[in-house]
Amino acid sequence: IEYTRRCEMCSPNTFSSAGEDYCSACDANAQSAIGSHIAIDCKCNAGFTGENGGTCRACVSGKFKALPAGPSQCQSCRDIASDGLQLATSLPASTSETACTCPQGFRKQTWNVCADVDECSDSDLNTCPTSSLCINTVGSFTCVCAEGHTGDAGAGDTCQQCPPNTYKDSKGKGTCTSCPAFSSSLIASTSSIACTCNAGYYGPRGGPCAA
């Protein structure tokens, strides 16, 4: 009695070369069509890269590979336009540029480029206290107390008005300066010329004052 074996096509994601009586599996992260007959029919899936028929490696964070399956390289998430610094990132084995996300302080603009958010343009985007100035920085912001006020707004302090008879002519956390002798100023004064000679004394605004 002569027995014959029926030939069947290999299932998807496997292959069998001529003369073999079994189907071999592609790499776990590769695919092939039904009936594939050679190892290079196994092509790396989206999110993975490698030569056809070889080992498929996941795209690292910050890179992606879209369909079709094949040996194409993983592409980097787009860079910020201003200085080429790569900011967008993605999870390993990402399959689309839409998987690239911008870090805090940046938002996606045209062509998926990460652009700095100007938190100072909208009070809802910053936490600067009253009587302070918001200064935008790349990816963030900082706060400084305005002239006539003292405190470390950048550390979350409130900005206190300079008391009467003092002034502060600079931004930041510097201290208030006392008016010259025999002169006085209003609360929250921003310049030395706010100091005027007291009654019974004379001199230029900002002193010195003489009797």
Side-chain angles (χ1 to χ4, degrees):
I1 299 174
E2 183 178 350
Y3 294 93
T4 60
R5 300 181 63 181
R6 184 178 62 180
C7 294
E8 297 181 350
M9 289 193 297
C10 289
S11 59
N13 307 330
T14 66
F15 68 94
S16 179
S17 300
E20 293 181 342
D21 59 358
Y22 59 91
C23 298
S24 300
C26 295
D27 182 270
N29 297 300
Q31 58 181 277
S32 66
I34 188 172
S36 292
H37 59 85
I38 192 171
I40 60 173
D41 287 339
C42 298
K43 300 177 181 180
C44 293
N45 296 330
F48 294 81
T49 186
E51 295 298 323
N52 291 344
T55 299
C56 298
R57 303 175 303 278
C59 295
V60 298
S61 297
K63 294 191 174 186
F64 67 94
K65 189 190 118 183
L67 290 172
S72 58
Q73 297 296 309
C74 301
Q75 303 297 308
S76 294
C77 293
R78 305 244 183 164
D79 293 346
I80 191 170
S82 60
D83 56 12
L85 176 67
Q86 183 173 345
L87 294 171
T89 190
S90 61
L91 295 175
S94 289
T95 61
S96 169
E97 190 169 14
T98 60
C100 298
T101 57
C102 298
Q104 184 175 357
F106 296 83
R107 65 164 61 100
K108 278 190 178 182
Q109 301 286 10
T110 306
W111 305 111
N112 288 325
V113 170
C114 292
D116 176 51
V117 173
D118 183 1
E119 292 88 355
C120 297
S121 65
D122 186 341
S123 59
D124 291 335
L125 299 178
N126 69 75
T127 55
C128 291
T130 303
S131 301
S132 70
L133 303 173
C134 179
I135 300 174
N136 187 59
T137 60
V138 177
S140 187
F141 65 94
T142 188
C143 310
V144 295
C145 290
E147 297 91 336
H149 297 77
T150 186
D152 190 356
D157 296 346
T158 58
C159 295
Q160 304 295 326
Q161 293 176 315
C162 288
N165 309 326
T166 66
Y167 67 93
K168 178 169 166 279
D169 58 7
S170 61
K171 307 176 182 69
K173 57 184 179 181
T175 58
C176 302
T177 302
S178 296
C179 288
F182 312 118
S183 66
S184 58
S185 66
L186 297 176
I187 191 172
S189 290
T190 60
S191 172
S192 62
I193 62 173
C195 300
T196 57
C197 294
N198 298 332
Y201 294 83
Y202 69 93
R205 296 176 67 89
C209 299

